[in-house]
Structures are given as C-alpha cells and as structure tokens.
Amino acid sequence: MTHDEYVRHDATALAELVSAGAVAPLELIDAAIRRLEAVNPAVNAVVYRMDDEARALAGGVDRDAVFAGVPFLAKDLQSDYAGHPTSCGSRLMAGRARERDTELVRRVRATGVSVLGKTNVPEFGLLPYTEPELWGPCRNPWAPDRTPGGSSGGSAAAVAAGIVPMAGGGDGAGSIRMPASCCGLFGFKPTRGRNPRGPGRVESWRGAAIEHVLTRSVRDSAVMLDATHGADPGAPYEIAPPARPFVREVGSDPGRMRIAWTTEPTLGSSVHPDCVEAVAGAVGLLEELGHEVVEASPPVDRAAFARAFVVMLAGELGAELEELARMLERKPRRTELEPLTWCLGLVSRALSAREYADALRILECCGKRVARFFTDVDALLTPTLATPPPKLGALSPGPAEHVRLRMVGALGSGRIVRLAGLLDRMAEGAFDFTPWTPVFNISGQPAMSVPLHWNAEGLPVGVHFAARVGDEAALLRLAAQLERARPWFDRLPETGGR
C-alpha cells in the first residue's frame, strides 16, 4: 500500500479493507512504519517503538474487529502496556516496563489495532506544549517551528503527519483538544467516567483527566468510544450508557440546536484575532445549517479557579511522586525531574490538607455553575485556544525563570518555594493559552475541538464545543454535520500529505 492510498482512508475504512481481504494487516503496518521512518526525525512524535510486536501479532488479527490491523500509537502517559515502559516524559520513569495493561488499553487492543509505539509527552502531562527534556521537542507537521500543543502533542503530530490515522490521548485540562486545534484534527473529550481508569487507579486529577483518541474523522472517534466506554470494577460512579451506539449518531440529524457562543476568555486575558475569526466563521456556518445561535457564556471566577486548579495539580503531583517512590523503593532525585516539576512537587509538601480540600470545593462549585449554564442551551462554542500554534519555546519558562527554578528547587524546601511566589505566578498565567478547555474537565462535560479554520499562514485554528454531561451524542451529531458541510479530512500539511 502506498502512502497516497494509506492517507486517503480513515481508520474505519482501513479496517473495512482488512475485513474484505483487500489488504493484509502487515501491509498497513509496513505503510505506517515507512511513513514513521520518513517523517519522525523531523517531527519527533514517536519516542518508543513497538512495531516488532505489531508485526508478530499481525497474522492473528481478528479481521472482524472494528479496527482490524489499523496502525495505532499510544500516548506515553497513563496508557500502560504490559512489558513496555511508560516514561511519562520523565527521566525518572524512562525504561521502566509496566507489569500489566490498563483497562482502557485492554479495550483498545480488543478493537484489533496494531500498536506501533508510544508518543512524545511533556513530563507527567503537566504542560500544554510538548518539549520534554527527556525526548526533546515535538514539532507541528504544519510548521516545524511551531508546537503541536500538549500534552497529547506527540499523538496529534503523528496523526497530522500521516503516520497513523488515530492515536491515543488523555485530557486533564484540554490535552486532547489543544493539540487537535494546533494540528488540524478532531479531538473529543468524553464525559468524566465514560471511559475506564482501572485497574490500579480509578481517577486522575480528581476525575478531571479522561482518555480517548485524536482522529482525522468524526466516525473514528465515535467507533473507538463505542469500543471502550463503560465503567470497570471499582469505578467510583457510573454514568448512564448511551441510548444507542455512538457511531449511529454520526450522520444523524442533530435537529435545530440552541448554541451559545463567546470569544471572551473564560480564564485568560486575551484572544488572538485569528481565533475570533474562527468562531465567527463557525457561527455563520451554524446559522446556515439552521441552528439558533446566541452570544452568552457561563460565569467563572477566573482568579479563584486558576489558583484552585494549580493547588489541586500540585497536590496530585505530590501524591504521584509519593506513589512512584513506593514503586521505586526510593525518593525521586532532583536531577531526575525537570525544574518546574520538582518545584511543583516541593509546593505540594507545603500545602495543608485544608488548602487542598478548599481548592477541590472551589473547583466543584465552579463546575456546578458551568453545568447549570447548559440548562438553557444545548452547546457552547468558543475558540479552542487563545492563539494559533505558538512557536517552539514560546510557552516555556524563559532562561532567567529557568535559572530561578533550578536555584529555588535546589533549596529543597516547599515553604521557600511558596515564599518565592511560584504557586501564585503559575496560577496567574496558567490558562493564558487555554482559557476555555479546563473548566469542562472540572464540570465533567463532554467537549471537542473541530478543525474548521486555517489562518492566513496556513496554520490550523480549532473551534471548541461543549455539551451537557452525558450528551456525547449531541456533539457527535453536530461534529458530523460540520464535517459534511466543511470537510477537513483531505486537508493535510505538507509533512502529512501525499
């Protein structure tokens, strides 16, 4: 199979070829590996290879599986594959093999995909860009001097570059939707609890983080969600199952929806004109399609949300490092972590139980207020990000701040780190790039980034939709309608083109 033939098909179509006997799974693996070896040196999306295992398993693929033989890449965070390392983008975890598959990985494997490897991530998924010290920066296939976003940046870059038709992602503050926007992909975050988190851990970031995939087509996302959704034993709660398979929503009439829109930053302070233009274009398209569109947005206390989220994040990172210390039977060393990660871990030591619980309460109240907004509307439209894809290094700490982090971190005191104002400075600018996505991780609502706009520089600029808790169906119907009205599947960067 040539690359031209390979990229003309989404994952569902490739599986149909395998099922019909028109293509062998090994042909798809070979096509993906050829593409990987041709473009990965330029984009640095794939950091760990599993293609030997994929080749060995190719002969036993169930040709009736929904993604039989389709090449797939996993995010190198949270998705544990037995016998393979999950580095989490950190020197601390590099090369350490995991003992068992996570439950979601087990379900993904059961779809018949051929897992070729793992993708680049920022350390522990903490940042909205993918430039870890361990693996080096991942580059955007649309412009190699730009970020693909984060934390699922490697997965997004791999799909946009034409290596695989879909790849795994995780989303704790927008980490599926942000890279989807940067790379011109469809990025869908399901409702909190829709996909499993077991067996070893039931929630991540207090339920804010949920895993799914990044895709080029809407139907691929829906088919994968049909295969993976549902609570596993020990889940803290279950949400109502869908009324019918998600894939049946793709192509179904969404009806006349009442959709609110805004370009006012919910959390940040400014928005780029290209992002405003993207929403304006989407509003016009929605009106052409017969939807009712009104300007409105949910109330959010920006400062309180930002500080509470960073406190929660520090507490969760601290607990993660303690868990890893038990696994490694020793404390992590400062030299094994990036300066920002180390300092945030120190902050966690200085936080009281009261501060952590208070932060969770603030976030819970904010989530409830946001969810109540959707009693009067079916969906909310915003930009996905505050800017088009920034240049590499633009979002990371500057040289002076980097030195400051190393100096303060070397003191090894959480109290000193707090006195240095790190937590407050982090909270102040935490969501300038991502003013809209995190609130829906806290409210638990489904949300998506849809690639409807490219700016004058040829860079993708996604638009973002959120819906009521449990109503993935409404978003998938709408996304498919937009996909038909303004197709994006054949719009590929030069790196990912034919």
Side-chain angles (χ1 to χ4, degrees):
M1 173 174 274
T2 67
H3 179 65
D4 180 67
E5 294 169 324
Y6 180 60
V7 297
R8 276 206 307 266
H9 298 80
D10 66 359
T12 303
L14 289 174
E16 289 170 352
L17 292 176
V18 171
S19 180
V23 173
L26 194 56
E27 290 183 71
L28 297 184
I29 292 172
D30 286 342
I33 291 173
R34 286 195 301 270
R35 188 61 180 170
L36 188 159
E37 292 178 344
V39 301
N40 198 56
V43 297
N44 194 29
V46 181
V47 296
Y48 180 77
R49 301 278 291 270
M50 298 165 60
D51 37 284
D52 286 344
E53 180 178 294
R55 287 180 187 275
L57 296 173
V61 169
D62 178 1
R63 290 177 179 265
D64 293 325
V66 290
F67 290 125
V70 173
F72 182 83
L73 288 164
K75 183 178 180 179
D76 197 24
L77 179 72
Q78 297 182 333
S79 297
D80 291 349
Y81 285 74
H84 298 282
T86 302
S87 78
C88 307
S90 176
R91 289 184 294 266
L92 177 66
M93 299 306 297
R96 300 182 185 278
R98 300 303 172 101
E99 295 181 356
R100 59 184 177 181
D101 290 353
T102 53
E103 175 61 20
L104 184 62
V105 163
R106 188 190 66 78
R107 297 184 190 187
V108 168
R109 282 190 191 268
T111 67
V113 294
S114 297
V115 184
L116 301 183
K118 293 194 163 188
T119 59
N120 206 343
V121 296
E123 190 168 51
F124 294 109
L126 296 173
L127 299 168
Y129 53 92
T130 304
E131 301 171 27
E133 292 181 2
L134 174 64
W135 302 120
C138 183
R139 297 178 180 273
N140 193 321
W142 290 91
D145 64 337
R146 305 276 178 158
T147 181
S151 61
S152 307
S155 290
V159 175
I163 298 172
V164 290
M166 65 177 174
D171 194 314
S175 290
I176 287 175
R177 294 160 287 158
M178 290 185 282
S181 178
C182 288
C183 293
L185 304 174
F186 180 64
F188 194 84
K189 181 193 82 70
T191 297
R192 177 171 53 218
R194 180 68 76 187
N195 272 337
R197 286 288 306 147
R201 187 181 301 170
V202 291
E203 287 194 303
S204 180
W205 292 8
R206 296 304 89 208
I210 185 167
E211 295 175 86
H212 190 42
V213 291
L214 292 103
T215 62
R216 288 171 57 206
S217 72
V218 174
R219 69 172 179 173
D220 280 354
S221 188
V223 172
M224 182 60 85
L225 191 57
D226 277 327
T228 59
H229 78 83
D232 58 333
Y237 44 74
E238 292 186 40
I239 57 175
R244 59 181 182 172
F246 290 118
V247 72
R248 289 183 58 189
E249 308 299 347
V250 178
S252 297
D253 183 2
R256 188 170 189 261
M257 298 177 68
R258 178 175 166 83
I259 300 174
W261 69 272
T262 185
T263 57
E264 286 296 313
T266 302
L267 300 174
S269 56
S270 64
V271 56
H272 193 281
D274 289 349
C275 301
V276 174
E277 184 181 352
V279 168
V283 167
L285 179 58
L286 291 168
E287 289 175 334
E288 290 175 18
L289 294 170
H291 299 292
E292 179 186 0
V293 185
V294 296
E295 187 172 4
S297 59
V300 176
D301 185 329
R302 300 178 184 184
F305 180 99
R307 194 178 194 286
F309 196 100
V310 172
V311 168
M312 181 272 288
L313 192 60
E316 290 296 300
L317 175 64
E320 177 81 4
L321 294 177
E322 287 297 320
E323 183 178 329
L324 293 177
R326 290 192 292 272
M327 184 181 79
L328 299 172
E329 298 182 336
R330 64 171 179 81
K331 293 286 186 182
R333 303 182 183 98
R334 180 169 59 88
T335 54
E336 294 174 308
L337 297 170
E338 295 180 18
L340 183 61
T341 307
W342 178 258
C343 285
L344 194 58
L346 291 179
V347 168
S348 73
R349 299 181 195 175
L351 290 172
S352 68
R354 179 194 59 77
E355 286 177 292
Y356 181 74
D358 183 53
L360 295 185
R361 291 187 179 200
I362 290 170
L363 293 175
E364 182 181 352
C365 289
C366 175
K368 288 183 177 295
R369 285 194 297 271
V370 169
R372 282 198 295 271
F373 173 79
F374 288 79
T375 59
D376 296 323
V377 298
D378 299 306
L380 172 66
L381 162 66
T382 69
T384 305
L385 296 168
T387 73
K391 292 200 171 184
L392 291 174
L395 298 174
S396 59
E401 182 66 11
H402 199 73
V403 170
R404 179 184 173 89
L405 286 170
R406 288 193 179 278
M407 291 176 61
V408 172
L411 297 174
S413 167
R415 183 171 177 274
I416 291 175
V417 171
R418 289 197 65 176
L419 288 173
L422 176 66
L423 188 145
D424 291 327
R425 287 205 312 280
M426 286 185 64
E428 184 178 345
F431 303 113
D432 285 348
F433 181 51
T434 60
W436 297 279
T437 57
V439 296
F440 301 105
N441 295 85
I442 295 303
S443 67
Q445 295 170 247
M448 63 185 182
S449 181
V450 184
L452 293 182
H453 185 77
W454 274 255
N455 68 8
E457 296 179 78
L459 296 172
V461 178
V463 294
H464 185 263
F465 293 89
R468 300 183 184 105
V469 168
D471 201 4
E472 288 94 337
L475 289 183
L476 290 169
R477 288 193 296 267
L478 177 62
Q481 184 186 48
L482 295 171
E483 186 180 34
R484 291 192 304 274
R486 192 174 292 171
W488 61 75
F489 186 83
D490 290 326
R491 189 158 190 169
L492 298 168
E494 185 176 337
T495 306
R498 303 167 191 173

